Amino acid sequence: MEIEDGAAALEARDLMKVYRMGAVEVSALRGVDVDFYKAELVVLLGPSGSGKSTLLNILGGLDTPTSGQVRFGNHPLSFGSERALNQYRRNHVGFVFQFYNLIASLTARENVALVTEIARDPMPPADALALVGLSDRLDHFPAQLSGGEQQRVAIARAIAKRPDLLLCDEPTGALDSKTGILVLEAILRINRELGTTTALITHNAVIAEIANRVLYFADGRIVETRCNATQRAPGELSW
Amino acid sequence: MTSLDRKLLRQLWKMRFQLLAIALVIASGTALLVMSLTTIEALEETTAAYYERTRFADVFAHAKRVPEYRKREIGEIAGVRLVETRIDERAILNVAGYLEPVVARVISLPDNGPQLLNALVIRSGRLVDPTRGHEVVVSEPFAEAHRLKPGDSIEAILRGRKRTLEIVGTALSPEFVYAIAPGGLMPDDARFGILWMGRDALSAAFDLKASFNSVAVSLLPGADVSDTVRRLDNILAPYGGIGAYGREDQTSNWFLESEIAQQKNLSRVMPAIFLAVAAFLTNLVMARLVDTERREIGLLKALGYTNWTVGWHYFKLVLAIGTTGVVIGSLAGAWFGHWNTELYTKFYRFPFLLYRPGPVAFIVSATISLTAALAGSLTASYRAVRLPPAEAMRPPSPPSYRRLFTTRFAFSGPDEPTRMILRRITRWPGRALLTSFGLAMSAAVTIMALQWVDAIDTLAETVFERGQHQDATIAFDELHPLKAVRDFENLPGVLSVEPHRYLSARISRGHLTERQGIIGVPESAILSPVFDVSRGRLQIPAGGLVVSRKLAELLRIQIGDTVVVQLLEGHRASFSVRVVQLFETYIGKPAYMEMGALNRLAGDGRVASGLHIRMDAADRSGLLARLKGIPGIASIQFRQAAIDTFFDTMGETIFIFIGFFIAFSMTLSVGVAYNSIRIAISERAQEFATLRILGFTRWEISYILLGEVGLLTWLAIPLGAAIGLALAWWMTSAFETELYRVPLVLQNSTYGKAALIMLASVLVCAAVTRRRLDRLDLIAALKTRE
Ligand SMILES: Nc1ncnc2c1ncn2[C@@H]1O[C@H](COP(=O)(O)OP(=O)(O)OP(=O)(O)O)[C@@H](O)[C@H]1O
Ligand SMILES: [Mg+2]
């Protein structure tokens, strides 16, 4: 699946997600339509509980929508098939989570290798770690790394497979501003150098200034879309 | 190596003690299984090889006196391959320096050529020279018991005549793998020996020229044993035949086969217990591992690992534990098996021992053990497979405790720490129950092992102390008139005498028949009366048959039924008789009648075939010396000797096995307790660290941690007692044979001991693991999830 520049890399149409807990129904998504373009950096903003994570999980093939469609490079995702979703994640999607989610018993290099071992066209783990500026931390265990370093290992792990999509759920949520900026710089660099379509959730409106486009979420819907005329570099930000 | 495998290895290392505890439980099960299976294999293989090499006969028969020319007729029975006639008599030996008279079987060796059947295996010296009548080969165990060697001589009373015999060799015989004296129960090598002599010399001594009184027959493959038995009986009946029998009823072989059967029984029960617990333990540990690694599992799937890969990853962990257990268990089992088989050869005398277990025993054991461990982890692995990848995105959340009405009600009283303990137990009731159950199994195994001591004690006490009061039992070689019995009463040192009459017989009801002799006792027997295990001494009615419960069961008879008795001795009378009483006994399946009535039905006068005597301890040695010289005595049994050999034989083996089982049951309780505590620690490290920071002391936290296991241990005691009782009951009924019924006796102290042993192992685990709490790293615990 090759995606041309400027074409929609990922399209979601009329996505609905209802969580059922006994008699109570929670509508997490109430009809979301959105396109992500090749090499674009999109930031998702919105209050807690508005459905951002739910959308990202569905786009990344981690979760299935109650109704609606997702097309990736003109192919619909078959949410009915676990195998197909697994292949999609394995070959096209990189995830970065708020709580790093490194495997505590594996070193930085091994955490990255976990992905490169099963990917189709990966870069060497050391290269991926160099991209996030961790060349000197290859053999450290997560417990021996700071939070920011752990998050950069997680980014290296996400991009080592050269994904088409990089999905980050509050990657700076647990970090101070200085470390957060390092992490954002790493993400931006991947986005630029590898042309990876990137979606990033944050609670921090300042961070939105690095994006090409900002989507505002409320109550399970996208309520506003704003395009940034100019992207600011993470280094210029402060919070 | 893949990163995933690296993760696995580090996981194994981190949990090594927990996993080792499980592996040891699996190893116990495997070891027991391997031990039993290889012992069975070795005994069967050794027996088969021994029988084959020595041409052990297929059918045996005894008679009073058969003319030698009748041998041809026996050889002509369809299916008979070889016939060997011989003389088989009893004798009393006087061994220099040994006070008591020794009972011996004296068996003839062919005068011309080698033995065709039941060939001796010479262990030292040589066979006898047929032309030299005073030469004799003795059984090796007997020789060892008295330190006799070729060149020594012994004194024997053959049909009342004293003879000095020269030992030229020692030997083992396939007919006496388990060598017991007539009427005995266990091998007593000092008091029972076998002598082999030239046929000529023996026929002269017993007045059996050109005759035989015993015959052994081997059959062609496919020949019908029962048909041969019937035809042989017909030929021998006119000559005082007392019933031919096949190999399966040959005493030594019968004991050997029942021993193998019991070993098979054992191989089914015990490993099952251990492997069930192993399955439970792997389940416990894997379930908790999958629980704590939910996010890792989700992550792996988010990264594109398939469900199958993730499931396999956890399965491999169990495979590693299982394999460790199986390897340790197989090695230990092979060692135990060899040792166990050798233990057998103390009582079952083979000239060689084939312990060369084939792969089958190990493959079977490994398969069963691994299956148990893997089955235990199946639900956990399956949960790992089923976990959705979105799990990785969720922040860690605390376990949700429920506030049920009942818990609110029940927990209103105790303090906070106690409440925490109770909440945890009610939060995971299934897990708590299984932990209790595992500990209970450990106590139950101990109870079952210890109950054998109680049972054996009771058996010996009932049979030998409450049921019998004679000091010695004498069997005559010919019937004695009751008047002659008086002569014994007058011997110095004899306090009282009680005659009895024994007759071999076949008892039948309908199509069911049992070969079972009938014992005739005086109406007012005191020394050796009919004795019921719970009702005590029974008065024997003047007419009618008194039947043991086991025989009644085999013949399906009840009080009031009529049975047909075919006597196999004397006039070989046949008569019908009513069953007037049933009684319960632990040994054998005897039947009794009043002696006078039995004599009348047999067509004899007032006669006895033997007598019980009580002697004065002060005159004992004098009396024993006298008895050695009295003609007409075929054998003497001493009650005290029977008790001693009973405990010697049982005692040693039983205590070793009890030791075994206690060690195994401790592995069990340690496996369960250690894993429960470690799981509790890792699940609650954060909670404990928080409590420490809030100001709780180490001891208060230890209480919260160990209180849970403590409570479950107390629960396990009554549960273990109940399961132990059931298990003991099951074992005793599984081990019931025609020879023994081990009573189900459980002293209160046995429950106590089992509980103490379990408590001790739990305490050791608690002490070892509690030290981890002292080393609790407060900062790390608050940072990490594990
Ligand atoms: N597994 C679930 N079961 C039930 N309800 C859920 C589940 N996951 C999310 N929800 C509900 O769906 C809604 C949207 O959740 P979502 O996680 O997408 O919000 P969010 O925008 O990412 O919030 P935050 O900024 O706090 O992370 C919330 O109301 C949440 O309670
Ligand atoms: Mg969220």
Side-chain angles (χ1 to χ4, degrees), chain A residues 53-64:
Chain A
S53 298
T54 305
L55 176 66
L56 216 66
N57 288 356
I58 291 173
L59 294 180
L62 286 180
D63 210 347
T64 56

Side-chain angles (χ1 to χ4, degrees), chain B residues 557-784:
Chain B
I557 47 186
Q558 293 173 337
I559 293 181
D561 288 347
T562 302
V563 294
V564 176
V565 174
Q566 165 71 63
L567 295 180
L568 299 170
E569 286 182 67
H571 305 289
R572 302 179 68 86
S574 177
F575 52 88
S576 294
V577 62
R578 245 166 57 91
V579 174
V580 291
Q581 269 229 47
L582 297 184
F583 70 103
E584 179 67 86
T585 178
Y586 295 137
I587 294 181
K589 49 179 173 66
Y592 287 90
M593 275 186 87
E594 194 274 316
M595 199 167 121
L598 185 61
N599 274 334
R600 263 193 308 284
L601 287 167
D604 302 319
R606 293 164 53 79
V607 291
S609 61
L611 43 83
H612 303 290
I613 54 178
R614 261 170 73 76
M615 35 195 185
D616 189 347
D619 291 334
R620 188 178 137 91
S621 50
L623 179 61
L624 290 179
R626 280 288 283 274
L627 285 176
K628 284 180 185 174
I630 293 179
I633 294 180
S635 79
I636 304 180
Q637 300 274 317
F638 296 94
R639 189 169 57 98
Q640 192 53 49
I643 298 173
D644 292 346
T645 45
F646 182 83
F647 281 108
D648 277 356
T649 316
M650 287 294 206
E652 205 173 329
T653 347
I654 289 273
F655 280 112
I656 291 169
F657 274 94
I658 288 172
F660 250 23
F661 280 119
I662 289 177
F664 284 153
S665 96
M666 287 177 87
T667 325
L668 256 183
S669 43
V670 167
V672 175
Y674 185 74
N675 270 295
S676 305
I677 300 174
R678 285 299 304 271
I679 286 175
I681 290 182
S682 58
E683 272 175 2
R684 310 172 75 191
Q686 261 185 56
E687 200 175 309
F688 290 146
T690 314
L691 289 173
R692 284 294 306 282
I693 290 163
L694 292 178
F696 279 77
T697 67
R698 281 176 190 167
W699 285 106
E700 280 162 332
I701 289 172
S702 302
Y703 169 67
I704 298 172
L705 173 70
L706 302 177
E708 184 186 341
V709 172
L711 195 66
L712 295 178
T713 308
W714 283 116
L715 272 174
I717 292 174
L719 195 61
I723 300 173
L725 181 64
L727 214 57
W729 176 82
W730 191 86
M731 277 290 263
T732 52
S733 48
F735 274 52
E736 175 173 327
T737 64
E738 285 181 21
L739 181 63
Y740 287 109
R741 261 101 30 219
V742 178
L744 177 61
V745 188
L746 275 164
Q747 312 288 356
N748 286 338
S749 63
T750 301
Y751 292 115
K753 280 178 211 157
L756 280 181
I757 289 170
M758 178 188 73
L759 275 179
S761 30
V762 173
L763 276 177
V764 169
C765 288
V768 169
T769 41
R770 206 204 66 88
R771 300 219 325 270
R772 297 191 159 262
L773 279 190
D774 298 346
R775 285 188 265 122
L776 201 63
D777 181 342
L778 299 187
I779 306 300
L782 291 180
K783 254 164 66 174
T784 62

Side-chain angles (χ1 to χ4, degrees), chain B residues 60-126:
Chain B
F60 302 80
H62 302 279
K64 273 225 113 55
R65 179 200 182 95
V66 193
E68 185 66 22
Y69 66 84
R70 284 290 188 180
K71 178 183 172 184
R72 238 195 52 218
E73 234 170 294
I74 298 172
E76 282 162 2
I77 297 175
V80 167
R81 177 157 56 186
L82 294 172
V83 183
E84 188 155 81
T85 62
R86 52 193 190 167
I87 293 167
D88 179 351
E89 278 290 351
R90 293 198 231 166
I92 300 290
L93 307 182
N94 185 12
V95 180
Y98 194 69
L99 200 60
E100 292 169 26
V102 173
V103 176
R105 286 270 291 271
V106 199
I107 298 172
S108 69
L109 292 168
D111 270 343
N112 34 20
Q115 286 176 285
L116 295 177
L117 297 171
N118 307 321
L120 295 186
V121 176
I122 291 293
R123 306 285 290 170
S124 69
R126 57 172 173 85

Side-chain angles (χ1 to χ4, degrees), chain B residues 262-468:
Chain B
Q262 298 219 346
Q263 194 59 234
K264 281 182 178 163
N265 252 327
L266 195 70
S267 76
R268 272 180 221 120
V269 200
M270 295 318 295
I273 295 175
F274 282 89
L275 296 175
V277 175
F280 151 65
L281 280 180
T282 43
N283 180 289
L284 191 74
V285 170
M286 291 310 291
R288 118 95 201 159
L289 191 66
V290 168
D291 254 7
T292 46
E293 297 207 338
R294 294 171 75 82
R295 280 156 58 86
E296 274 88 344
I297 294 166
L299 173 77
L300 289 173
K301 291 185 179 178
L303 296 180
Y305 281 90
T306 59
N307 288 344
W308 198 85
T309 318
V310 174
W312 174 236
H313 175 68
Y314 288 92
F315 213 59
K316 272 198 282 192
L317 188 80
V318 184
L319 213 55
I321 308 171
T323 314
T324 313
V326 164
V327 169
I328 299 175
S330 297
L331 292 176
W335 190 73
F336 290 154
H338 192 189
W339 173 85
N340 189 23
T341 314
E342 271 184 350
L343 204 67
Y344 273 118
T345 59
K346 268 183 78 175
F347 309 109
Y348 294 85
R349 298 293 298 249
F350 296 99
F352 53 83
L353 181 61
L354 299 180
Y355 186 81
R356 38 178 199 206
V360 178
F362 293 94
I363 292 171
V364 167
S365 313
T367 312
I368 294 177
S369 305
L370 277 180
T371 310
L374 293 178
S377 71
L378 224 50
T379 52
S381 294
Y382 184 66
R383 271 204 294 142
V385 167
R386 286 293 308 279
L387 218 62
E391 200 68 40
M393 304 296 251
R394 266 170 219 141
S397 58
S400 56
Y401 289 87
R402 269 166 302 174
R403 249 196 106 182
L404 299 171
F405 169 73
T406 48
T407 55
R408 206 180 317 169
F409 176 71
F411 300 166
S412 54
D415 53 27
E416 274 315 315
T418 308
R419 203 169 301 191
M420 288 172 77
I421 293 170
L422 295 176
R423 280 246 164 80
R424 254 179 76 83
I425 291 176
T426 48
R427 170 70 183 77
W428 289 283
R431 194 161 83 175
L433 195 73
L434 281 178
T435 304
S436 259
F437 192 71
L439 292 172
M441 277 316 243
S442 141
V445 168
T446 316
I447 289 173
M448 191 215 65
L450 290 177
Q451 94 94 19
W452 283 98
V453 181
D454 298 346
I456 298 278
D457 274 349
T458 309
L459 191 152
E461 194 201 273
T462 310
V463 172
F464 297 118
E465 278 163 35
R466 294 203 295 128
Q468 301 180 352

